[in-house]
């Protein structure tokens, strides 16, 4: 109230003045009496009142999109209020400091054991793993372990060679992998051997992947839930092709399963699908706790079948935080709150709860896909039968508009539905993709369909796709 009285009195007297309030603790807003707005690209010379700083940031963030209407992202956008409380209670805990926060460290260990059992590790108690900041870091860690194991094999093979160390490692994967795998190969100087898309196959082909392997292949990456169209890659068939390769050549190539999304869908909805540690060739798996693990952004998981798959020399031990702590991570300090939230969610939902949530999400995706596929304007590529994700493109006879026009017009109504072009060998194909998540209800799906129905008459009346629309549409979120 002091702010309003002061501003009113200044207005009455025809003069501007700053409210004399301690800027660190006061509640008055000094902005009304400031000659200029605070700088935005350098640190201001002086402090602002907490309420003022909050309002400035809050008001600017109002221009962001609504995360619940963002159908580009796989990341969780809703959690229960009790989870919010736990996150707030733990936001100051540093995950690396296991001596200071032993119970948070214990919850991390429990989550690893739970995931090891969920993914059918031969001995869940013996499986090793860790939390990460997300599945991208988890993929980097898994790739590092593959490379180190290859280096150990190569060192034995090259003993006595005239050209030791001349071999260059390679990693085999589909062209549809998440960009973190391209980063991994770039950062760690590994040749990326990618299986291209062909025809209506939009992910890795098992035999084509096996054909790219040689003695310098550190491993093959299989994606359980492609970000391009939501489909599972055939992990069991890939392992069978690599088994046959080993019988012919003696090459023993490990498989890493990038289960960033599918690792938390398939165990609950596709229990008969064999993709995990039941396959002896699968040496490691990662997932995103903040995708279909149902936790807000900031947590992923990497697990190895046994300690043999994770070379000991990659694990560092530090004692300067108060205890002898092993750590395997690219980051050092990172928040423990999301790990706590992951344990809460495992405890809260259990297997039956996860199954119910994921099934409901898949049903929403299937229902939307069916309704959109029934429109003459579109052709479905996938139907939400694996990940609760589906991709579609314009029908062959549609010439008035393209997928980028649809994405742009939906954005005008608050919906973010990405439009993007497929990679090598299918660059002729541009699609829209809808990602359904927990919190995206059937009612919201109806609103999306209403928005699509309302804009189609205008799109159909166009003389052709708008020029340059492809470059203006935000596109592809993993």
């Amino acid at each position: 109230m002091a702010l309003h009285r002061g501003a009113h009195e200044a207005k009455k007297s025809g003069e501007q003045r700053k409210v004399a309030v301690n800027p660190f603790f006061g509640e008055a807003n000094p902005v009304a009496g400031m000659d200029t707005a605070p700088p935005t690209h350098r640190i201001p010379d002086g402090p602002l009142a907490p309420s003022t700083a909050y309002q400035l940031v809050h008001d600017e963030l109002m221009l962001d999109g609504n995360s619940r209407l963002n159908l580009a992202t796989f990341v969780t956008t809703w959690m229960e209020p009790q989870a919010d409380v736990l996150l707030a209670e733990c936001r100051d805990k540093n995950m690396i400091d296991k001596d200071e926060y032993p119970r948070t460290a214990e919850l991390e260990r429990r989550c690893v054991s739970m995931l090891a059992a969920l993914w059918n590790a031969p001995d869940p108690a013996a499986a090793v793993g860790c939390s990460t900041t997300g599945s991208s870091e988890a993929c980097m860690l898994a790739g590092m372990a593959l490379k180190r194991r290859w280096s150990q094999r190569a060192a034995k093979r090259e003993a006595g060679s005239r050209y030791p160390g001349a071999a260059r490692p390679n990693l085999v994967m589909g062209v549809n992998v998440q960009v973190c795998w391209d980063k991994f190969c770039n950062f760690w100087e590994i040749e990326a051997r990618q299986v291209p898309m062909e025809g209506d196959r939009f992910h890795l082909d098992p035999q084509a992947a096996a054909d790219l392997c040689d003695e310098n292949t550190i491993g093959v990456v299989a994606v359980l839930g492609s970000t391009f169209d939501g489909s599972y890659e055939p992990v069991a068939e890939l392992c069978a092709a690599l088994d046959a390769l080993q019988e012919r050549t003696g090459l023993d190539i490990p498989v890493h399963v990038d289960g960033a999304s599918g690792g938390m869908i398939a165990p609950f909805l596709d229990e008969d699908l064999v993709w995990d540690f039941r396959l002896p060739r699968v040496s490691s798996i990662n997932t995103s706790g903040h995708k279909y693990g149902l936790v807000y952004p900031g947590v992923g998981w990497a697990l190895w079948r046994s300690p043999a798959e994770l070379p000991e020399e990659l694990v560092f031990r530090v004692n300067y935080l108060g205890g002898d702590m092993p750590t395997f991570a690219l980051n050092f300090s990172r928040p423990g709150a999301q790990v706590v939230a992951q344990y809460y969610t495992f405890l809260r939902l259990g297997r039956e709860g996860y199954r119910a949530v994921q099934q409901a999400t898949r049903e929403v995706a299937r229902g939307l896909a069916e309704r959109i596929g029934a429109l003459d304007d579109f052709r479905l590529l996938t139907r939400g039968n694996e990940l609760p994700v589906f991709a579609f493109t314009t029908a062959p006879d549609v010439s008035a508009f393209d997928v980028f026009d649809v994405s742009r017009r939906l954005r005008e109504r608050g919906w973010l539905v990405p439009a993007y072009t497929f990679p090598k060998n299918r660059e002729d194909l541009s699609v829209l993709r809808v990602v359904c998540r927990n919190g995206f209800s059937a009612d919201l799906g109806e609103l999306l369909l209403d928005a699509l129905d309302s804009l189609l008459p205008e799109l159909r009346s166009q003389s052709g796709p708008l020029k340059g629309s492809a470059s203006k549409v935000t596109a592809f979120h993993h």
Side-chain angles (χ1 to χ4, degrees), residues 182-195:
D182 297 305
K183 290 182 179 180
F184 169 73
C185 290
N186 188 340
F187 295 165
W188 275 270
E189 299 182 329
I190 293 169
E191 177 191 355
R193 294 185 176 178
Q194 295 187 319
V195 178

Side-chain angles (χ1 to χ4, degrees), residues 1-331:
M1 294 303 296
L3 166 63
H4 297 149
R5 286 198 302 271
H8 179 65
E9 290 166 5
K11 185 176 180 180
K12 281 200 307 183
S13 63
E15 64 181 31
Q16 283 191 324
R17 64 184 181 84
K18 295 182 181 180
V19 181
V21 178
N22 184 315
F24 292 107
F25 303 106
E27 296 182 357
N29 185 343
V31 168
M34 295 178 67
D35 295 329
T36 59
T40 57
H41 291 78
R42 64 175 178 83
I43 297 176
D45 294 330
L48 297 175
S51 57
T52 303
Y54 166 80
Q55 199 65 47
L56 288 170
V57 177
H58 173 81
D59 290 352
E60 187 160 348
L61 291 176
M62 288 194 299
L63 297 175
D64 273 348
N66 185 328
S67 63
R68 295 281 295 281
L69 304 184
N70 181 0
L71 302 183
T73 183
F74 286 76
V75 172
T76 295
T77 54
W78 181 86
M79 290 190 77
E80 294 174 326
Q82 291 83 355
D84 290 336
V85 173
L86 278 172
L87 284 161
E89 291 173 349
C90 299
R91 60 191 169 197
D92 59 343
K93 293 186 178 181
N94 187 354
M95 194 66 241
I96 194 64
D97 197 347
K98 294 176 172 58
D99 186 66
E100 181 68 20
Y101 309 114
R103 301 321 300 170
T104 302
E106 171 60 20
L107 298 190
E108 180 188 34
R109 283 191 288 268
R110 293 179 190 176
C111 287
V112 168
S113 296
M114 290 175 173
L115 288 169
L118 185 68
W119 295 337
N120 296 290
D123 181 3
V128 293
C130 60
S131 64
T132 62
T133 54
S135 57
S136 292
E137 183 188 2
C139 289
M140 298 279 180
L141 299 180
M144 289 165 59
L146 290 175
K147 184 182 181 185
R148 183 57 58 92
R149 290 175 63 201
W150 170 84
S151 297
Q152 293 169 346
R153 296 193 302 270
K156 294 177 182 178
R157 189 171 63 243
E158 293 177 354
S161 169
R162 287 183 63 186
Y163 305 103
R168 184 187 180 193
N170 65 76
L171 181 67
V172 175
M173 52 195 165
V175 72
N176 58 301
V177 293
Q178 213 263 11
V179 69
C180 69
W181 289 107
D182 297 305
K183 290 182 179 180
F184 169 73
C185 290
N186 188 340
F187 295 165
W188 275 270
E189 299 182 329
I190 293 169
E191 177 191 355
R193 294 185 176 178
Q194 295 187 319
V195 178
M197 295 180 176
E198 295 289 350
D200 291 332
R201 176 180 56 76
F202 303 126
H203 54 226
L204 174 146
D205 173 76
Q207 189 55 52
D211 292 342
L212 289 175
C213 294
D214 58 27
E215 63 182 7
N216 293 318
T217 300
I218 67 174
V220 180
V221 175
V223 179
L224 195 72
S226 172
T227 52
F228 279 89
D229 63 356
S231 62
Y232 294 160
E233 290 193 328
V235 183
E237 289 88 340
L238 171 63
C239 289
L242 294 174
D243 289 343
L245 176 69
Q246 184 174 7
E247 289 178 10
R248 294 195 311 271
T249 66
L251 294 174
D252 185 8
I253 309 295
V255 169
H256 172 79
V257 178
D258 183 351
S261 295
M264 294 303 294
I265 294 288
F268 304 110
L269 302 186
D270 308 296
E271 295 179 78
D272 295 333
L273 180 68
V274 179
W275 63 273
D276 51 20
F277 289 126
R278 287 171 286 183
L279 298 167
R281 196 167 291 278
V282 172
S283 65
S284 51
I285 301 172
N286 73 275
T287 197
S288 280
H290 59 224
K291 292 181 181 174
Y292 291 105
L294 309 182
V295 176
Y296 284 139
V299 63
W301 300 93
L303 269 71
W304 290 263
R305 169 184 295 275
S306 71
E309 278 75 30
L310 178 59
E312 175 63 28
E313 60 266 30
L314 292 179
V315 179
F316 289 83
R317 296 182 179 277
V318 296
N319 63 7
Y320 45 77
L321 292 176
D324 182 35
M325 291 172 289
T327 176
F328 181 40
L330 298 181
N331 294 293

